[in-house]
Amino acid sequence: MGIVEKIKEIEAEMARTQKNKATEYHLGQLKAKIAKLRTQLLEPPKGSSGAGDGFEVTKFGHGRVALIGFPSVGKSTLLTLLTGTHSEAASYEFTTLTCIPGIIHYKDTKIQLLDLPGIIEGASEGKGRGRQVIAVAKSSDIVLMVLDASKSEGHRQILTRELEAVGLRLNKRPPQVLFREDATVDDLIDVIEGNRKYMKCVYVYNKIDVIGIDDVDRLARQPHSIVISCNLKLNLDRLLARMWEEMGLVRIYSKPQGQQPDFTDPVVLSAGRGGCTVEDFCNHIHRNLIKDVKYVLVWGTSARHYPQHCGLGHALQDEDVVQIVKKKPCFDDACSNKVTWRLKLLSILKVVSFAGISKRSLNVKGPWFEVGDDFTQDIVHFVLYPCL
């Protein structure tokens, strides 16, 4: 019996079992078994080399967005309109057979948009290469679930169920499960498994030009939803703005000391990719820069006054201007290194020996020197002291 058959057998047993306090423990065990089997279903088969025809493409830009939905809902047309990349569109299903990337240039940032092949019911079990499509969606920052506004609401529930079956949790936060918290059995299983990914999802209802205004208003008022029409190019600007808002990208402009800020090439940060603090900004420029930072000056909405002296933990906001003030090079700090100090001491001893002074007249006590005669004191004062 395969993994899919085992999952279906357990689901049938759960459907037959009555839900009450007496069967609550038994149902929890069945849910745990299903979660374990679905995890095994996502693992590659043993003995495989890993090579094959996949959908994965190299990450590019400041963020990644995946278009996911049923066949013939307008994903390829939407990719062409937003990025200019040609993706074949036709009236028949499964026009797109592989992952087609495109780049959205929006607010001085580059966002990678992926057009994925349409998935069908049962994609979590491998039907229609659904597991490969969903695997690419899991590597994205947010998901745009493209739906046909003229179809029933059941498509949205089917896609959500398929994504949750492989460990994707849409528009949810990781549960903080405590013994005092009112958490469900599913939340506890998610925490124990530890392989769930929580990501944002925007439900994009396409083809609103074929339905009535009342239906458009009803769909537009649903949470995490937006209505568009690729045929008439309606509301595409609102879609870009909503996508930008959900991704939470933060543009930070650098200002060299004594110069004007550089507004041409911002440093783009996000909470999902490292964070948005001053420390994250420094690490984005260079990982060793943080050692030389004395303080930073910040202009923008995150500052109380202009400029504000901030530390590494200061949270930056969109379009802030940051000037980094470095520490001045200190000779004492450079000589604090043991290897450097020993090399300099060896060179000084050579000078003392060359001058005819006995090495025994130098009584070494840590970093300080006690000397016996005036000439040796001059040597120590002018040669040793600057190196300590």
Side-chain angles (χ1 to χ4, degrees):
M1 182 182 296
I3 298 178
V4 177
E5 288 76 12
K6 291 181 180 179
I7 293 176
K8 291 182 178 180
E9 184 179 354
I10 296 176
E11 290 178 345
E13 184 179 353
M14 292 178 59
R16 294 192 303 265
T17 305
Q18 296 182 356
K19 295 182 179 180
N20 51 52
K21 291 184 177 180
T23 61
E24 184 177 358
Y25 177 75
H26 178 63
L27 290 174
Q29 285 186 324
L30 294 179
K31 289 182 179 180
K33 290 181 180 179
I34 291 179
K36 186 176 181 180
L37 289 174
R38 284 174 175 168
T39 302
Q40 297 177 0
L41 192 64
L42 294 177
E43 296 177 353
K46 296 182 179 180
S48 62
S49 61
D53 186 14
F55 295 147
E56 184 58 55
V57 295
T58 304
K59 283 189 174 183
F60 179 81
H62 304 108
R64 170 180 278 196
V65 181
L67 297 175
I68 196 167
F70 281 101
S72 298
V73 294
K75 300 187 299 297
S76 300
T77 305
L78 183 60
L79 175 77
T80 304
L81 291 176
L82 295 181
T83 66
T85 302
H86 175 70
S87 180
E88 185 178 357
S91 58
Y92 54 87
E93 296 183 349
F94 297 105
T95 307
T96 303
L97 300 178
T98 185
C99 178
I100 300 178
I103 302 299
I104 301 175
H105 298 271
Y106 187 72
K107 292 186 176 181
D108 297 331
T109 62
K110 298 177 182 179
I111 303 174
Q112 187 180 45
L113 186 64
L114 302 180
D115 179 19
L116 298 175
I119 63 176
I120 58 178
E121 188 173 2
S124 59
E125 301 173 357
K127 293 183 179 180
R129 304 185 72 180
R131 279 185 290 175
Q132 294 172 302
V133 175
I134 297 175
V136 178
K138 293 179 71 174
S139 66
S140 304
D141 296 313
I142 67 169
V143 170
L144 294 185
M145 186 182 294
V146 184
L147 302 167
D148 192 340
S150 61
K151 300 294 179 63
S152 63
E153 280 290 318
H155 286 189
R156 174 173 170 175
Q157 282 74 21
I158 293 174
L159 290 175
T160 303
R161 184 169 62 250
E162 295 295 333
L163 294 177
E164 289 187 348
V166 294
L168 273 177
R169 300 294 181 261
L170 303 179
N171 297 321
K172 294 181 181 179
R173 293 182 178 180
Q176 301 295 329
V177 179
L178 302 174
F179 288 105
R180 297 181 180 179
E181 185 176 345
D182 186 14
T184 62
V185 176
D186 296 331
D187 294 336
L188 181 60
I189 293 175
D190 290 345
V191 173
I192 295 176
E193 286 290 328
N195 58 355
R196 306 297 190 251
K197 183 173 182 179
Y198 297 83
M199 60 191 311
K200 296 182 179 180
C201 176
V202 179
Y203 304 99
V204 182
Y205 290 92
N206 190 22
K207 304 180 183 180
I208 60 173
D209 51 313
V210 299
I211 61 176
I213 188 63
D214 295 335
D215 294 332
V216 173
D217 182 71
R218 177 180 57 83
L219 294 175
R221 294 181 182 274
Q222 293 185 4
H224 310 289
S225 300
I226 190 168
V227 293
I228 65 169
S229 174
C230 293
N231 185 25
L232 301 180
K233 300 181 181 180
L234 297 177
N235 216 26
L236 296 180
D237 54 343
R238 294 287 299 275
L239 173 60
L240 289 175
R242 184 62 179 272
M243 184 174 60
W244 171 270
E245 179 183 355
E246 294 293 339
M247 294 185 69
L249 298 180
V250 176
R251 296 163 296 174
I252 307 299
Y253 300 98
S254 60
K255 180 185 181 302
Q257 296 187 25
Q259 302 180 21
Q260 294 295 325
D262 182 13
F263 292 107
T264 58
D265 188 15
V267 175
V268 182
L269 307 175
S270 65
R273 293 193 176 190
C276 301
T277 63
V278 173
E279 182 177 0
D280 302 323
F281 173 77
C282 296
N283 291 331
H284 191 277
I285 297 176
H286 197 278
R287 60 182 180 179
N288 294 330
L289 177 61
I290 194 173
K291 300 178 182 179
D292 302 329
V293 175
K294 184 177 182 180
Y295 62 89
V296 297
L297 300 176
V298 178
W299 293 262
T301 56
S302 67
R304 297 181 180 178
H305 48 81
Y306 301 151
Q308 178 180 350
H309 288 245
C310 300
L312 298 176
H314 178 76
L316 299 172
Q317 297 181 9
D318 190 29
E319 294 186 321
D320 279 355
V321 177
V322 175
Q323 175 181 328
I324 299 177
V325 179
K326 294 184 178 180
K327 300 176 183 178
K328 294 183 178 180
C330 181
F331 195 77
D332 294 340
D333 294 339
C335 291
S336 62
N337 187 291
K338 293 182 179 180
V339 178
T340 305
W341 187 83
R342 288 174 181 174
L343 292 176
K344 291 184 179 296
L345 177 60
L346 181 60
S347 63
I348 295 304
L349 291 177
K350 289 182 178 180
V351 173
V352 172
S353 177
F354 179 77
I357 303 174
S358 175
K359 295 181 182 178
R360 295 181 180 179
S361 62
L362 295 177
N363 184 17
V364 180
K365 293 183 178 180
W368 304 100
F369 295 86
E370 295 181 0
V371 294
D373 52 71
D374 296 338
F375 184 74
T376 309
Q377 289 180 0
D378 294 337
I379 293 292
V380 173
H381 179 73
F382 291 104
V383 181
L384 284 180
Y385 182 77
C387 298
L388 298 177

